[in-house]
């Protein structure tokens, strides 16, 4: 770990480790990690150690803090992508590195593109670009840029947030870049590292970064490049990141389906394997490292049949519930529901009954729970105590409602709030009638 001085007099912090060149099972390309806007070298803490321990390990891994970030100096000048690219050139000169693999995350990609445009590709073996679109701002021919900072108005809002609520920004920034759970201690570290950055400098560099359109230049890149995109990125549309792969001639694009903008933190093991493979061979030789696709689960059974204690019968709980629904429905609703070719009405009446329509319609070709389409269990051996208890509960509730005068002696509230007038002596009978499915005491015709 140490510091180096840029050619405009700013001291930047860096760190490197490695086994050296010419060792067994080691590639020939040092890896230089360039972090993104508001981050620091510590955003690569997990990746840094695993890059040196995996297959195809590089001879050296280097990471550093951009100016205005982390442990580097925070001057009042130099917050431009081109100046950041010159700082990268000064780092390579300081460490006398050649044949390097440059790995950029987010704005780090733009810094590398600027380096290639200004200083050429002579010292670069390949590049790795993580979740960055070629243009952040919107344009007449471009709508795939940043979701958060894409024009003057959104940039101004961001700069005001950095000025007046920097702590709130740091916390929100982490939430907007992660879709999967990470170690809470590591998340706190990321927030703490963001708070080390220079707020005004962040606003200045973002203003420069968002306005640069890299699409024309990316067509001129000739070194092999690997583009990594977050399938759940909240910062860029997936197609916006993929556009980099389409523009660069010798490129390979890999999508991290479950990861966000900080995919290199969320799945650092896969990230390091891909980077090591690409840095060593200039292409992916071991696949894209994607986890095996989990097959779609088999459709869940629409009904669960389990033996009732003490009997050999099975009970369909949906059948019981549907019978309870229909027991308190209007006769017209019951007659419509018991026909296999019709559905309960969806307008008016009991909401509970009308909601049966989508539930029944979503079942298989032989819907359950409706008379005429449901194969009844053997009722002679069916334990109906739970059903009878529920019906008795409803009968008592109906009787209590009638005696309290709520709605008068000639009305009975039904499930869902609908009402039907009938003599009080018939209400109790209707309340316990389970729709003529062969149960004793039914006043309705048996189902076909």
């Amino acid at each position: 770990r140490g510091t180096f001085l840029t050619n405009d007099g700013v001291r930047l912090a860096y760190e490197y480790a490695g086994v050296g060149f010419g060792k067994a099972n080691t590639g020939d390309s040092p890896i230089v990690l360039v972090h993104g806007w508001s981050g620091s070298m510590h955003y690569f803490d997990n990746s840094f150690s695993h890059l040196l321990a995996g297959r195809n390990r590089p001879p050296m891994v280097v990471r550093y803090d951009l100016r205005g970030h982390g442990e580097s100096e925070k001057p009042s000048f130099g917050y431009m992508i081109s100046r950041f690219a010159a700082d990268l050139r000064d780092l390579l000169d300081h460490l006398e590195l050649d044949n390097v693999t440059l790995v950029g995350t987010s704005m780090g990609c733009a810094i590398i593109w600027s380096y290639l445009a200004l200083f050429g590709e002579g010292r670069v073996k390949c590049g790795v670009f993580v979740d960055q679109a070629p243009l952040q701002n919107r344009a007449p021919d471009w709508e795939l840029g940043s979701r958060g900072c894409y024009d003057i108005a959104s940039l101004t809002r961001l700069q005001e947030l950095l000025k007046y609520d920097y702590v709130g920004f740091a916390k929100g920034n982490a939430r907007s870049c992660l879709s999967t759970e990470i170690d809470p201690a590591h998340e706190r570290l990321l927030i703490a590292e963001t708070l080390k950055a220079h707020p005004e400098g962040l606003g200045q560099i973002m203003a420069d970064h968002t306005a640069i359109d890299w699409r024309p230049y990316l067509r001129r890149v000739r070194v092999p490049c690997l583009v990594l995109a977050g399938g759940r990125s909240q910062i860029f549309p997936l197609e916006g990141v993929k556009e980099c792969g389409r523009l660069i001639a010798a490129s390979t694009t890999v999508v991290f389906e479950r990861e966000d903008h900080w995919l290199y933190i969320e799945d650092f093991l896969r990230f390091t394997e891909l980077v090591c493979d690409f840095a060593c061979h200039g292409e992916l030789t071991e696949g894209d490292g994607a986890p095996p696709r989990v097959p779609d689960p088999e459709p869940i059974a629409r009904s669960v049949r389990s033996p009732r204690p003490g009997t050999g019968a099975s009970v369909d709980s949906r059948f019981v519930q549907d019978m309870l629904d229909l027991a308190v429905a209007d006769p017209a609703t019951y007659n419509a529901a018991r026909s296999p070719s019709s559905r309960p009405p969806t307008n008016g009446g009991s909401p509970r009954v009308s909601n049966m329509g989508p539930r029944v319609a979503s079942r298989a070709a032989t819907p359950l729970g409706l008379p005429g389409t449901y194969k009844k269990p053997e009722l002679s051996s069916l334990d109906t105590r739970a059903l009878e208890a529920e019906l008795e509960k409803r009968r008592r509730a109906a009787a209590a409602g009638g005696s309290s005068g709520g709605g008068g002696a000639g009305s009975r509230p039904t499930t869902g709030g609908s009402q039907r007038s009938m003599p009080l002596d018939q209400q109790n009978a209707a309340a316990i009638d389970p729709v003529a499915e062969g149960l004793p005491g039914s006043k309705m015709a048996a189902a076909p």
Side-chain angles (χ1 to χ4, degrees):
R1 175 173 293 193
T3 62
F4 70 98
L5 198 63
T6 65
N7 66 356
D8 66 343
V10 178
R11 189 163 294 280
L12 305 184
Y14 73 94
E15 180 181 6
Y16 72 89
V19 296
F21 294 87
K23 304 293 184 180
N25 302 317
T26 303
D28 61 351
S29 178
I31 292 176
V32 179
L33 303 171
V34 186
H35 69 78
W37 182 76
S38 78
S40 80
M41 71 170 80
H42 289 291
Y43 275 48
F44 296 112
D45 275 358
N46 291 329
S47 305
F48 190 75
S49 58
H50 282 82
L51 284 169
L52 295 167
R55 298 188 301 272
N56 303 312
R57 61 186 179 181
M60 179 187 295
V61 179
V62 182
R63 58 178 176 172
Y64 72 106
D65 286 332
L66 304 176
R67 69 170 60 203
H69 294 70
E71 301 300 328
S72 293
E73 288 187 6
K74 299 166 179 64
S76 60
F77 60 90
Y79 293 97
M80 301 170 290
I81 293 296
S82 57
R83 179 61 253 182
F84 280 42
D87 294 345
L88 175 57
R89 187 263 329 259
D90 293 340
L91 172 65
L92 299 182
D93 288 345
H94 176 74
L95 296 175
E96 300 180 349
L97 295 179
D98 201 359
N99 193 41
V100 297
T101 294
L102 300 177
V103 180
T105 61
S106 193
M107 190 184 74
C109 302
I111 296 172
I112 296 173
W113 298 336
S114 183
Y115 172 88
L116 297 175
L118 294 172
F119 307 110
E121 301 174 356
R123 302 172 73 170
V124 179
K125 177 179 180 179
C126 51
V128 180
F129 308 128
V130 180
D131 210 59
Q132 174 65 46
L135 172 61
Q136 293 224 157
N137 279 350
R138 292 173 181 171
D141 63 338
W142 181 253
E143 294 290 336
L144 299 175
S146 171
R147 290 189 171 110
C149 189
Y150 47 80
D151 58 13
I152 294 297
S154 58
L155 172 63
T156 301
R157 289 194 297 269
L158 175 60
Q159 290 173 332
E160 291 297 301
L161 181 62
L162 293 170
K163 183 177 181 179
Y164 295 109
D165 189 12
Y166 192 38
V167 174
F169 155 76
K171 294 179 179 178
N173 189 47
R175 288 192 295 267
S176 66
C177 295
L178 295 168
S179 285
T180 58
E181 294 291 332
I182 65 172
D183 181 12
H186 189 54
E187 184 173 353
R188 290 193 295 270
L189 170 67
L190 300 177
I191 295 173
E193 289 298 307
T194 295
L195 291 173
K196 292 181 180 179
H198 183 29
E200 292 184 7
L202 292 180
Q204 295 174 25
I205 188 62
M206 181 58 75
D208 186 60
H209 172 43
T210 57
I212 303 176
D213 187 352
W214 292 104
R215 289 177 293 172
Y217 176 72
L218 292 182
R219 297 186 179 95
R220 300 173 58 84
V221 175
R222 294 294 175 263
V223 295
C225 295
L226 176 63
V227 177
L228 304 180
R232 296 183 179 178
S233 177
Q234 302 173 69
I235 305 302
F236 294 107
L238 179 58
E239 291 303 315
V241 179
K242 284 183 174 181
E243 185 66 14
C244 295
R246 288 188 282 264
L247 293 171
I248 300 173
S251 68
T252 302
T253 301
V254 176
V255 177
F256 283 54
E257 297 288 349
R258 301 183 181 91
E259 282 67 46
D260 207 312
H261 189 56
W262 288 348
L263 61 90
Y264 61 99
I265 295 174
E266 294 174 298
D267 193 353
F268 60 87
L269 291 176
R270 182 185 177 193
F271 169 75
T272 55
E273 288 177 0
L274 292 178
V275 170
C276 285
D277 187 19
F278 200 80
C280 183
H281 303 103
E283 61 180 351
L284 294 180
T285 63
E286 300 179 3
D288 63 6
R293 295 188 65 87
V294 178
D296 294 335
E298 296 182 1
I300 299 175
R302 295 298 183 182
S303 62
V304 179
R305 297 178 179 274
S306 57
R308 293 293 297 272
T311 72
S314 297
V315 177
D316 185 338
S317 60
R318 293 195 178 200
F319 164 75
V320 173
Q321 185 60 58
D322 289 349
M323 292 304 99
L324 289 170
D325 289 338
L326 290 174
V328 293
D330 296 337
T333 302
Y334 167 74
N335 291 331
R338 71 193 297 269
S339 172
S341 61
S342 62
R343 295 284 182 240
T346 57
N347 296 323
S350 167
R352 190 171 181 180
V353 172
S354 62
N355 285 340
M356 288 174 57
R359 186 173 69 198
V360 174
S362 66
R363 300 179 187 175
T366 56
L368 303 176
L370 289 180
T373 59
Y374 177 81
K375 187 175 181 180
K376 296 181 293 185
E378 186 61 45
L379 292 172
S380 61
S381 61
L382 177 63
D383 185 351
T384 61
R385 286 174 293 178
L387 175 60
E388 291 170 352
E390 177 64 18
L391 292 174
E392 176 65 16
K393 179 181 177 181
R394 295 189 180 192
R395 184 193 66 77
R396 291 178 179 178
S403 62
S404 65
S411 63
R412 176 180 62 86
T414 61
T415 303
S418 63
Q419 294 184 345
R420 174 165 58 93
S421 298
M422 63 171 59
L424 184 60
D425 58 348
Q426 296 181 21
Q427 291 182 21
N428 295 341
I432 62 172
D433 182 2
V435 203
E437 278 296 335
L439 297 179
S442 172
K443 304 302 182 184
M444 296 185 182

